[in-house]
Amino acid sequence: KMGAMAELERVLAGAAEGTVLPLAWMLLARLCAEQGKHARAAELLEQVAVVVPEEKGVQEFLAAMRQKATTGAPVRSDPKLGKACA
């Protein structure tokens, strides 16, 4: 997983400014969440939320990561969000 995170970070760092890569952002956000990097996950999800603001799952995942990043408080488990937010 660490190799996948590094590769996704490399892809995002090499992308031209303004490039929209929601799948890469979402994948990396999930990996970051699993590694406890909640602030980075929230940062990535904010970019996804701009692209698909109507997607409830993205909004819920973003809210959970923001909560964990700012308070460190446990976030309720939601099977739709997967183990990354549990």
Side-chain angles (χ1 to χ4, degrees), residues 2-43:
M2 294 304 288
M5 283 179 65
E7 182 63 19
L8 284 168
E9 287 284 11
R10 187 191 64 71
V11 167
L12 294 178
E17 188 173 333
T19 301
V20 178
L21 300 169
L23 181 57
W25 295 332
M26 182 58 94
L27 289 171
L28 185 54
R30 289 224 178 254
L31 291 170
C32 288
E34 288 178 6
Q35 296 295 318
K37 298 176 181 179
H38 304 113
R40 178 65 175 140
E43 177 184 304

Side-chain angles (χ1 to χ4, degrees), residues 38 63-78 84-86:
H38 304 113
M65 290 301 97
R66 282 179 174 160
Q67 180 183 356
K68 281 196 164 208
T70 58
T71 66
V75 176
R76 69 174 175 80
S77 239
D78 185 335
C85 292

